Amino acid sequence: MKTEIDANIQAVLDSAQFIGGPYVAELEKRLAAFAGRGYCVTCANGTDALQAAFMAAGVGNGDVVFCPDMTFVASVEPAKMLGAVPVFCDILPDTYCLSPESLERQIQAVLAEGTRTPKAVVAVDILGNPCDYDAIAPLCERYGLILIEDAAQGFGASYQGRRACSFGQIAATSFFPAKPLGCYGDGGAVFVDDSGMEALVRSLCVHGQGPGGKYDNVRVGINSRLDAIQAAVLLPKLKALEDYELDARQAVAERYRAAFAGKLVTPAVTAGGVSAWAQYALLAENGERRDRILGYLRERGIPSMVYYPKPQHALPVFQGLPRYGETYQNAMDYCARTFSLPMHPYLGEAEQKEVIAAVLEAL
């Protein structure tokens, strides 16, 4: 895609319109259509997208935001900054997504305590795998909670025929370079169906401006816009993602599954879902075996990564938060044993065989 991307970048430089402009407008239109959503508002990064989502949802002091215990800190960090209390839930042992059973236990525990207000659920499409929204969405409806989809890793995934970023009242994604749809720096987007919510998110991302323009500030907002150059990069990459990259990711994941089935715990895809395979995470027998495999891969010059070494409840920033009796057994087990291998749509079969052979030798 180099020729097209370079031409787009040069066009932005020639225009000197670095903020907003036709590339940003076209990207928002295409992203909304791809996700099957009414509106898309781009912003500076995935964390800002989540912060705008929390602000638009009215999350604030005394509210509780429920979130899976195994995710990146950004999934709930902005909620804490707004004064809300994160309450973590365990994950499912096979898909690693938010456990609906743990979520309901935590909701009921917060309600029984009676000192805080359950406000929202952040459902994270972790590692590119969509959540079980047929179970999570009814829970949100039953308890009057706002469902926010964190599709930072899940863009391109689908569940029951619907694409990621189409679930919940509001969804957020990231265009960090390592994501399934990555730009040449930072970028993010918010997805909604309601025109009033779109106007609110747009206002929040530009200093809370009102209908009168940039000096008509009607609310406290943030400064978060996607650079025109990043939009110019993302447009051809979005087409490639839809045309062939998602299929290529499935092929890479299947080769890994076939090689490691019965030797390591391979990731399961949510029933009715298609993963975007942002990462390919395996579980070793135990942490010691995992670390030996990683050491062997380093010696061979093969990249690897641990997503994520600590569950959220164990991070220093979240010490002292209420746990309501939850043990987070699945999240802790995952974090102690997980490691990820190279995963992208341009991983050739011969190159992947080298990676597989090294892991099997390590075992």
Side-chain angles (χ1 to χ4, degrees):
M1 289 173 274
K2 175 176 171 58
T3 300
E4 185 178 1
I5 289 174
D6 285 353
N8 285 2
I9 291 173
Q10 189 61 52
V12 173
L13 298 178
D14 292 343
S15 74
Q17 188 170 6
F18 305 114
I19 303 296
Y23 284 108
V24 173
E26 180 66 16
L27 178 66
E28 290 183 344
K29 178 182 174 182
R30 292 195 190 180
L31 287 170
F34 180 88
R37 206 84 202 229
Y39 304 95
C40 170
V41 180
T42 55
C43 58
N45 56 69
T47 306
D48 282 359
L50 283 162
Q51 181 167 343
F54 290 131
M55 294 172 75
V59 172
N61 288 325
D63 291 335
V64 168
V65 174
F66 301 92
C67 180
D69 194 39
M70 196 282 288
T71 184
F72 185 58
V73 66
S75 293
V76 78
E77 179 183 31
K80 193 171 191 299
M81 292 175 66
L82 292 169
V85 176
V87 170
F88 298 111
C89 310
D90 207 357
I91 60 172
L92 294 168
D94 51 357
T95 65
Y96 315 135
C97 292
L98 174 65
S99 163
E101 292 78 12
S102 178
L103 171 61
E104 184 161 29
R105 287 196 301 269
Q106 295 293 70
I107 293 170
Q108 291 178 346
V110 171
L111 289 171
E113 185 185 54
T115 60
R116 298 181 177 90
T117 303
K119 183 74 173 185
V121 173
V122 183
V124 182
D125 299 330
I126 198 71
L127 309 174
N129 197 16
C131 290
D132 181 357
Y133 289 102
D134 281 353
I136 294 171
L139 285 175
C140 293
E141 292 177 11
R142 186 181 311 157
Y143 293 102
L145 301 174
I146 298 168
L147 175 57
I148 299 172
E149 180 188 5
D150 177 356
Q153 299 174 20
F155 194 83
S158 62
Y159 175 74
Q160 304 292 16
R162 291 172 55 185
R163 282 196 167 124
C165 292
S166 71
F167 297 95
Q169 288 92 328
I170 190 165
T173 196
S174 168
F175 304 127
F176 182 78
K179 298 296 191 286
L181 179 61
C183 60
Y184 285 4
D186 268 321
V190 179
F191 296 81
V192 296
D193 288 323
D194 179 76
S195 60
M197 183 68 82
E198 181 227 5
L200 174 58
V201 172
R202 237 174 245 289
S203 169
L204 288 168
C205 287
V206 190
H207 300 288
Q209 75 176 23
K214 66 185 295 183
Y215 300 118
D216 178 31
N217 309 99
V218 297
R219 57 181 58 86
V220 174
I222 57 178
N223 178 26
S224 186
R225 294 166 294 200
L226 183 72
D227 290 338
I229 285 179
Q230 301 298 355
V233 169
L234 286 166
L235 278 166
K237 294 192 75 180
L238 175 60
K239 186 176 187 304
L241 180 78
E242 186 170 19
D243 286 353
Y244 63 87
E245 285 188 354
L246 287 172
D247 288 340
R249 286 180 176 274
Q250 306 309 313
V252 172
E254 175 55 27
R255 290 197 291 265
Y256 276 143
R257 188 208 61 77
F260 298 129
K263 302 177 179 69
L264 294 159
V265 177
T266 56
V269 178
T270 301
V274 176
S275 177
W277 297 110
Q279 290 87 26
Y280 194 88
L282 295 157
L283 296 189
E285 182 182 356
N286 52 51
E288 181 182 357
R289 180 68 61 87
R290 184 265 307 272
D291 293 343
R292 276 189 284 174
I293 294 170
L294 293 179
Y296 187 79
L297 294 178
R298 279 193 298 271
E299 292 173 5
R300 296 286 302 272
I302 294 174
S304 60
M305 187 70 182
V306 174
Y307 302 97
Y308 296 92
K310 286 185 178 181
Q312 293 297 291
H313 81 270
L315 293 176
V317 67
F318 295 133
Q319 292 305 295
L321 290 179
R323 293 176 56 169
Y324 299 102
E326 189 61 70
T327 62
Y328 310 113
Q329 186 57 51
N330 293 334
M332 291 193 296
D333 180 64
Y334 169 90
C335 292
R337 299 163 58 199
T338 187
F339 68 100
S340 292
L341 299 176
M343 180 71 216
H344 58 85
Y346 302 96
L347 186 63
E349 191 167 355
E351 191 174 28
Q352 190 176 7
K353 284 181 178 179
E354 293 184 33
V355 177
I356 291 169
V359 174
L360 294 178
E361 288 170 16
L363 289 174

